[in-house]
Amino acid sequence: MFSAKIWRESPQRYRLEAAKCLGCGKVFFPPRLVCLGCRGREFEKRFLPWRGRVLTFTVIHTAPTPFVDMAPYCIAIVEVEEGVRLTCQLVDVDLEAVEIGMEVELEFRRIQSNQSDGVLCYGYKAVPGGGE
Amino acid sequence: MAVGIIGYGTYIPRYRIRVEEIAKVWGMDAENYKRGLMLRQKSVPAPDQDVITMSVEAARKALRRAGIDGSEIGSVYIGSESHPYAVKPSGTVVAEALGATPEVHCADFEFACKAGTEAMFVGYSEVKAGTVRYALAIGADTSQGAPGDALEFSAAAGAAAYLFGAEGVAVEVLQAYSFMTDTPDFWRREHQHYPRHGGRFTGAPAYFRHATGAALRILEMTGKRPEDFRYVVFHQPNGKFPVTVAERLGFTREQYETGLLAPTLGNTYSGASPMGLAAILDEAGVGDLILMVSFGSGAGSDAFVLRTTERLLEIRDKAKRTRDQLDKNQRYIDYATYAKFRGKIRKR
Ligand SMILES: [Zn+2]
């Protein structure tokens, strides 16, 4: 991944920065310039919580090159609050134990780690919830 | 004005490998290491974890306990001997993830296993001097031992983060002191994958001389005796050294066992004594005196005399405790998986 792209996406990947529409209150992650609900263009910044529940998931066996060493792994859609979802890996878990509805926490992890000379890309991944 | 710890947090990866599993591969006697070094297992970072990721997790817990916002942090110091980049600070990523940028002073520290307490020493000093309002100091490592080396039984992963401030102090720093000489007991040259060490030379002239020297002098400076302390924590490269030095100085099991994590955690290098301190803070009462002594090869020790306040009781349940992370949800792996996770298998 290009270092400029990593840098551009870091507010979302590092801090879960989302945008809440000032017109209708809808929350977008990643942020948008125009609200899909009311066409509004004014937003306020907000941070999503680092926990949620699995809405659905799949297990990847044939992985794209940067993730080959991790296969098989779980990709989950996690709902972090009413209507706000994100897609990420679910790690530190037995793949057979993953269930729809399970509580997860988000942790800061390396997203791509198999290059030895590139910029490291960090972001969120889900882990089984322990209830903090 | 009392200056001290206003928030703290730790992070321990969930993976573990047992001493038997490592000994089996290299034809070594597991019982020998378990008895001799008092090590039963160690933590292993997942392939997507490093000093930066663990530092962020530990620091988030510290912020939650302190009840302050990341943007209020004035300095970020990370001590480690396994920073992910050879050139580029770990602290920039961590500060960005915590929302501390751009008005923040940041530096990565290195001093083998005492880089974490070095960060604490500087962070505390800055708050005391009034240079910054809040300073974040982190000790974290994902250290490696060469395959088959005795170090492989102990080199583990973990992080501890401390926020220093002058308001809402949960643990006062009564004295900080550093004791250091040039002693080449352990080193790693540029481009070398694994460190080398002086075998038994790492004991008497290195660990014991510096840990003892720092402890004796700070006791003298503060006019305290071992029996005045409720808790003591030393750097723990294994389970044996910290017990030996504690008992030589006149401390008892009741004083050192709370902070002794190495038997089931391994040696987290820069994280070691700071994580032991966190385990103590998870349990301590109000007004308890704590002595903390780190050790870093090269070699030196930082010592702190600390006293808990009532504030500690208000903050400590706001984040996951160290022993809970250590004792719950472990995922045991075999040596082959460990070798893959730690990049010990070359693919090309
Ligand atoms: Zn809208």
Side-chain angles (χ1 to χ4, degrees):
Chain A
M1 211 183 287
F2 289 115
S3 59
K5 180 173 159 65
I6 290 171
W7 173 78
R8 204 158 42 238
E9 293 174 349
S10 64
Q12 282 73 52
R13 290 189 189 274
Y14 287 14
R15 296 188 296 270
L16 296 184
E17 276 188 32
K20 183 180 182 181
C21 174
L22 290 176
C24 70
K26 203 168 160 43
V27 177
F28 293 96
F29 183 82
R32 298 182 61 92
L33 290 174
V34 180
C35 175
L36 285 176
C38 72
R39 306 249 155 217
R41 286 168 184 266
E42 298 212 48
F43 295 88
E44 65 175 10
K45 191 197 299 183
R46 63 175 295 173
F47 299 96
L48 301 179
W50 285 73
R51 63 176 63 87
R53 73 183 56 238
V54 172
L55 206 67
T56 187
F57 68 95
T58 187
V59 175
I60 305 290
H61 292 271
T62 307
T65 312
F67 307 103
V68 157
D69 287 350
M70 301 177 202
Y73 57 86
C74 177
I75 293 283
I77 295 180
V78 175
E79 187 161 66
V80 292
E81 55 184 60
E82 187 73 30
V84 184
R85 296 158 186 182
L86 49 86
T87 304
C88 62
Q89 273 190 41
L90 172 52
V91 296
D92 291 4
V93 70
D94 295 323
L95 294 177
E96 315 82 66
V98 180
E99 287 179 337
I100 286 174
M102 77 184 271
E103 285 186 33
V104 293
E105 286 167 20
L106 298 179
E107 278 192 3
F108 200 69
R109 298 284 179 125
R110 269 195 204 180
I111 303 300
Q112 289 188 13
S113 53
N114 65 338
Q115 313 151 295
S116 59
D117 61 350
V119 171
L120 295 166
C121 177
Y122 293 93
Y124 48 85
K125 288 188 184 180
V127 296
E132 232 166 88
Chain B
M1 181 183 70
V3 170
I5 297 161
I6 61 162
Y8 69 97
T10 57
Y11 184 85
I12 301 174
R14 293 172 187 80
Y15 291 98
R16 303 283 183 277
I17 187 166
R18 292 194 170 91
V19 163
E20 288 85 348
E21 183 63 28
I22 299 171
K24 188 175 74 185
V25 172
W26 301 109
M28 290 159 152
D29 180 14
E31 283 310 311
N32 188 21
Y33 283 93
K34 290 174 83 168
R35 235 187 359 259
L37 295 176
M38 290 168 66
L39 289 169
R40 298 203 293 276
Q41 60 180 30
K42 66 168 187 173
S43 66
V44 179
D48 58 1
Q49 293 184 305
D50 59 25
V51 163
I52 288 174
T53 67
M54 296 191 306
S55 294
V56 169
E57 289 298 322
R60 284 212 175 107
K61 293 191 182 90
L63 282 171
R64 211 176 306 145
R65 282 197 171 106
I68 66 164
D69 191 74
S71 61
E72 297 178 86
I73 299 172
S75 41
V76 172
Y77 300 124
I78 303 178
S80 179
E81 62 114 67
S82 48
H83 291 290
Y85 286 100
V87 175
K88 191 194 173 311
S90 299
T92 55
V93 182
V94 174
E96 192 75 42
L98 300 174
T101 55
E103 291 186 44
V104 61
H105 185 246
C106 160
D108 286 1
F109 288 0
E110 278 189 37
F111 195 142
C113 296
K114 95 167 179 79
T117 55
E118 214 168 34
M120 292 171 72
F121 200 110
V122 173
Y124 157 70
S125 302
E126 277 191 328
V127 174
K128 196 177 172 194
T131 317
V132 299
R133 190 171 174 207
Y134 301 121
L136 174 65
I138 299 173
D141 260 306
T142 56
S143 299
Q144 297 239 44
D149 189 279
L151 264 185
E152 216 186 9
F153 289 98
S154 59
Y162 287 90
L163 271 164
F164 289 90
E167 310 128 55
V169 172
V171 188
E172 285 175 67
V173 177
L174 302 185
Q175 187 74 52
Y177 170 70
S178 197
F179 183 99
M180 193 211 80
T181 68
D182 180 42
T183 306
D185 59 322
F186 176 100
W187 64 93
R188 179 166 64 83
R189 296 279 303 275
E190 184 117 71
H191 307 304
Q192 295 300 303
H193 201 58
Y194 300 112
R196 295 189 53 190
H197 55 81
R200 289 190 169 270
F201 185 61
T202 59
Y207 180 89
F208 291 104
R209 178 184 176 205
H210 295 86
T212 307
L216 287 175
R217 181 72 182 115
I218 202 167
L219 290 177
E220 187 185 327
M221 290 166 88
T222 52
K224 308 280 185 206
R225 289 167 305 174
E227 56 269 32
D228 297 330
F229 291 84
R230 176 83 192 275
Y231 301 100
V232 65
V233 59
F234 287 93
H235 174 54
Q236 28 203 288
N238 49 55
K240 186 186 171 189
F241 279 23
V243 169
T244 304
V245 74
E247 290 182 347
R248 263 187 215 167
L249 287 164
F251 291 96
T252 61
R253 170 170 291 276
E254 289 67 42
Q255 290 167 297
Y256 65 69
E257 68 184 353
T258 308
L260 185 63
L261 306 175
T264 50
L265 175 62
N267 179 9
T268 54
Y269 285 57
S270 302
S273 51
M275 292 173 80
L277 175 63
I280 289 170
L281 299 184
D282 287 342
E283 304 283 327
V286 176
D288 285 346
L289 274 183
I290 304 167
L291 172 64
M292 174 195 195
V293 182
S294 67
F295 170 74
S297 290
S301 284
D302 296 324
F304 296 84
V305 170
L306 308 159
R307 186 171 57 207
T308 59
T309 75
E310 285 177 10
R311 173 77 181 154
L312 178 63
L313 307 185
E314 296 165 24
I315 69 165
R316 75 170 156 218
D317 291 330
K318 292 183 178 173
K320 214 177 276 182
R321 294 181 182 211
T322 300
R323 289 272 179 190
D324 286 344
Q325 297 179 64
L326 184 59
D327 300 336
K328 295 179 186 168
N329 305 317
Q330 305 109 320
R331 299 174 61 74
Y332 286 91
I333 54 176
D334 58 16
Y335 193 89
T337 308
Y338 166 73
K340 180 187 171 189
F341 276 18
R342 301 303 287 131
K344 293 185 179 203
I345 301 174
R346 269 187 76 160
K347 288 182 72 185
R348 48 204 157 251

